[in-house]
């Protein structure tokens, strides 16, 4: 179904911000490198998705495109994506302050971030069950829609990591503040909405009312 540029950008921003600010291996590494070596090193870690995600997206796109004529497979993927988004939403609602981790002896921040993201299962699960299906749907509105989704998503996820590094370097208490918890709650609720959309579309592909 064709989408408006605004709806595509809104979905990409919500998903990118939630992924960027949710506690996890990459955010912990952003914080630990920031606290050990300064915000510039934390920002380098935050750039890792720009390097690691391209092959993941391409592989997921090829796999899902091969199943394009099998609505049952696509339906199951959509339902799996809905479940994943519900899980992420719950994690956002109950997220504790991110752990700063243990400082490393040497920065090598970008490559530490690349290694952490490649070995993290979340990007693989996200792009297979959520990200690429949304990209394929956006492709129905033209190439510009795909570029918009990817551009806004990566601006949001990398921007969130950069913001975390800057705040950790200058205002460390923000990550344990009420404002941080409120932001995570809003992002969690937005993920529940996208989970509903995925579940609805998945059940429709499976022939359920």
């Amino acid at each position: 179904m064709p989408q408006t540029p605004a709806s595509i950008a809104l979905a990409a921003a919500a998903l990118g911000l939630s992924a960027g600010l949710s506690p996890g291996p990459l955010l912990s590494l952003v914080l630990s490198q920031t606290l050990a070596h300064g915000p510039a090193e934390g920002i380098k870690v935050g750039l890792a998705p720009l390097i690691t995600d391209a092959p993941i997206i391409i592989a997921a796109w090829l796999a899902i495109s091969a199943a394009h004529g099998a609505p049952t497979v696509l339906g199951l993927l959509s339902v799996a994506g809905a479940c994943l988004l519900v899980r992420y939403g719950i994690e956002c609602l109950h997220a504790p302050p991110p752990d700063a981790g243990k400082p490393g002896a040497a920065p090598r921040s970008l490559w530490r971030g690349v290694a952490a993201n490649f070995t993290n299962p979340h990007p693989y699960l996200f792009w297979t069950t959520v990200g690429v299906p949304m990209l394929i749907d956006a492709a129905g509105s033209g190439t510009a829609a795909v570029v918009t989704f990817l551009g806004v998503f990566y601006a949001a996820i990398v921007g969130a990591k950069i913001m975390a590094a800057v705040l950790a370097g200058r205002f460390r208490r923000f990550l344990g503040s009420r404002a941080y918890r409120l932001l995570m709650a809003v992002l969690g609720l937005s993920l529940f909405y996208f989970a509903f959309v995925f579940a609805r579309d998945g059940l429709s592909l499976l022939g359920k009312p």
Side-chain angles (χ1 to χ4, degrees):
M1 179 185 297
Q3 302 180 58
T4 66
S7 66
I8 292 170
L10 181 62
L15 292 170
L17 285 173
S18 63
L21 292 174
S22 295
L26 197 61
L27 183 59
S28 290
L29 190 57
V30 167
L31 297 177
S32 66
Q33 292 297 96
T34 296
L35 297 178
H37 306 288
E41 295 301 321
I43 289 171
K44 290 178 185 178
V45 176
L47 298 176
L50 298 177
I51 298 174
T52 60
D53 284 12
I56 299 173
I57 294 172
I58 292 170
W61 190 302
L62 291 175
I64 293 173
S65 296
H68 188 68
T72 299
V73 174
L74 296 177
L76 291 173
L77 279 175
S78 291
V79 172
C83 293
L84 185 67
L85 289 173
V86 167
R87 175 186 167 185
Y88 288 171
I90 292 172
E91 288 178 352
C92 283
L93 291 177
H94 298 285
D99 182 8
K102 297 181 179 179
R108 293 184 298 163
S109 299
L110 180 59
W111 299 114
R112 286 174 182 266
V114 168
N117 216 40
F118 261 134
T119 56
N120 181 3
H122 285 188
Y124 299 90
L125 291 171
F126 171 79
W127 284 110
T128 301
T129 62
V130 178
V132 168
M134 292 188 78
L135 280 178
I136 292 174
D137 192 35
S141 300
T143 303
V146 175
V147 173
T148 296
F149 183 92
L150 288 173
V152 173
F153 177 84
Y154 280 103
I157 189 171
V158 173
K161 303 292 188 193
I162 291 174
M163 181 179 70
V166 171
L167 290 173
R170 297 185 180 179
F171 311 103
R172 299 187 182 193
R173 288 184 295 179
F174 170 79
L175 296 173
S177 70
R178 176 178 293 183
Y180 174 81
R181 293 194 296 272
L182 178 61
L183 176 60
M184 296 304 296
V186 171
L187 292 173
L189 292 175
S190 73
L191 291 180
F192 289 146
Y193 167 75
F194 293 115
F196 165 76
V197 173
F198 266 65
R200 180 195 64 194
D201 293 347
L203 292 175
S204 176
L205 287 167
L206 293 172
K208 304 295 183 182

